[in-house]
Amino acid sequence: GTDRAVRLWDAASGRLRHTLTGHSDKVCTARFSPWEAARAVSCSHDRTIKIWDLSKGFCVASIMCASNINSAVYGDGAGVVVSGHFDGAARVWDLRQKPGGAPAGGCEPIEVRAHQGQHVTSVVMMPTNKSQLITASRDNTLNLVDFRAVGSGRSAVVRTLKASGYRSGTQWANPCVSPDGRFVV
């Protein structure tokens, strides 16, 4: 939230379990890991992505980014995070990568300029193809991005979704993908 903290509540009892601190600016997104129930990712305008151990209530990895982050989700496994940035890029971070023996926060991302000159407001993984995701932007488009195309000479933007009259009204517009991956709302 705007107080720079992520909070974990017990939904059954309503009890606050942890207040996760460490961000130095407002928190934009927090998402649970679909693979590890006791892990979550958060991102902030402080240009960091943080991975949290929810059972103990502390940060286990922190990634410094070149641009403010609007959205972060887990990618195709517990060790992969995908983020959407103010600079128009979507980035994939392999948390298992440790170049030169650096901690996980030292990993280099795969980057796609998904929206030239406009903020990426959110990233959503495709449920049927974890190498693909939808990016939303203030340029009033949604892009289907395939990270397998990076470095291949092909465009990583597979398809652009747009419609007359569609406007992304906020900095945090969030599309949703149907469970079978056929539709985007």
Side-chain angles (χ1 to χ4, degrees), residues 10 134 154:
D10 181 315
I134 295 288
R154 297 179 294 137

Side-chain angles (χ1 to χ4, degrees), residues 8 32 36 65 115 123 138 145 163 172:
L8 176 68
F32 286 100
E36 297 178 70
C65 301
H115 298 272
V123 291
R138 291 303 302 264
V145 175
W172 296 276

Side-chain angles (χ1 to χ4, degrees), residues 7-37:
R7 287 181 174 72
L8 176 68
W9 281 275
D10 181 315
S13 70
R15 184 176 73 91
L16 179 65
R17 295 223 23 223
H18 294 294
T19 299
L20 309 170
T21 59
H23 284 296
S24 62
D25 204 341
K26 71 180 174 181
V27 176
C28 299
T29 301
R31 297 281 185 260
F32 286 100
S33 167
W35 295 276
E36 297 178 70

